[in-house]
Amino acid sequence: MTLARNEALTLLTDSLSARRRRGAKRLRALADPTTAAQVRTALEREVLDKRTWETQYQLIMALGMTGSRGDVELLKRLALQPRSATSVNVALGDAIVRLGREVDNDPAPAVWCLQQDVELLADGALRAVAMLRLNFPDTAVDDVLDYAEANFRDLNHKYLPYWPAVAAAGWSGSRVRAFLLRCSQDDRQIIAKAATDALNGRYGNHVSVL
């Protein structure tokens, strides 16, 4: 059964993490800015328990869909805290890009994430860049490609070039084309397919986002 707005908000204070997570996922889908304050309060409470990282992930994603630039400092503080469940950092990077832009194609939040050396934070930021189809200026495109090329064969995160390749469908220039050609010949099929689509100006079908 699909949860109504108020039912989802009520679940945010449930004693069971799985039910809180269900509420967060529904609020993320609804993307109703009137729920942002309650989502933020729930997140601030949830991050006190390191065991509930899956629920934290969904609350951060919900805040990314409902919040405002005023929530970015909280997200940045959380991003700089050490944690063992680094998937949470993916959500933080995504939400920082969604909420932190002064204008639609503002690259500053994504560039900030690239500069932090926080595991998977950049991956989440680049995912948002691709999903939002942000059209960055050349200097910011260079920053993204510098990062992607420096980590092209990261054995721990071997699909890291995927989101830059998807995002590059909306970019141009010789360096972008050279990056996409390299990706299109890669033995990782998901990256090669994304790059081939991008070379043809298509964003393609994104991998499902949790």
Side-chain angles (χ1 to χ4, degrees):
M1 184 178 68
T2 302
L3 292 172
R5 171 189 180 277
N6 288 344
E7 291 174 318
L9 286 171
T10 298
L11 285 181
L12 296 185
T13 57
D14 196 275
S15 61
L16 296 178
S17 179
R19 289 174 62 80
R20 297 194 300 274
R21 182 160 63 252
R22 183 183 177 211
K25 290 178 74 171
R26 180 58 180 154
L27 293 168
R28 172 185 171 186
L30 289 172
D32 180 349
T34 66
T35 65
Q38 287 160 282
V39 171
R40 177 177 173 138
T41 297
L43 173 60
E44 290 176 317
R45 182 171 57 244
E46 197 72 40
V47 295
L48 300 177
D49 188 344
K50 295 179 180 180
R51 299 170 300 173
T52 63
W53 65 268
E54 293 171 297
T55 302
Q56 293 171 33
Y57 180 100
Q58 292 299 337
L59 282 166
I60 293 164
M61 293 298 290
L63 187 61
M65 297 301 294
T66 62
S68 66
R69 292 190 68 215
D71 297 308
V72 173
E73 285 308 309
L74 167 64
L75 296 171
K76 286 184 174 180
R77 284 201 309 274
L78 293 176
L80 297 178
Q81 294 176 3
R83 58 178 51 85
S84 56
T86 54
S87 293
V88 172
N89 294 335
V90 176
L92 287 165
D94 188 295
I96 287 167
V97 169
R98 290 180 184 275
L99 300 181
R101 292 168 293 139
E102 292 189 19
V103 294
D104 281 350
N105 291 307
D106 181 7
V111 172
W112 183 87
C113 291
L114 297 183
Q115 294 171 339
Q116 300 313 305
D117 192 28
V118 172
E119 187 174 7
L120 293 182
L121 183 69
D123 191 60
L126 294 172
R127 181 179 74 184
V129 170
M131 297 296 286
L132 295 169
R133 302 187 178 187
L134 300 185
N135 187 12
F136 282 169
D138 290 346
T139 53
V141 169
D142 283 340
D143 288 336
V144 172
L145 296 184
D146 285 345
Y147 184 87
E149 289 168 353
N151 296 279
F152 200 83
R153 288 293 177 184
D154 185 328
L155 296 179
N156 292 320
H157 309 294
K158 64 178 181 176
Y159 296 114
L160 187 146
Y162 174 76
W163 290 115
V166 174
W171 303 339
S172 61
S174 58
R175 186 176 180 195
V176 172
R177 182 169 178 80
F179 172 73
L180 289 175
L181 285 171
R182 177 186 181 185
C183 289
S184 71
Q185 298 164 9
D186 198 83
D187 56 5
R188 293 165 289 186
Q189 185 175 5
I190 187 175
I191 293 170
K193 177 65 166 59
T196 300
D197 284 336
L199 283 165
N200 290 293
R202 299 192 303 266
Y203 283 90
N205 295 319
H206 301 311
V207 170
S208 177
V209 177
L210 296 176

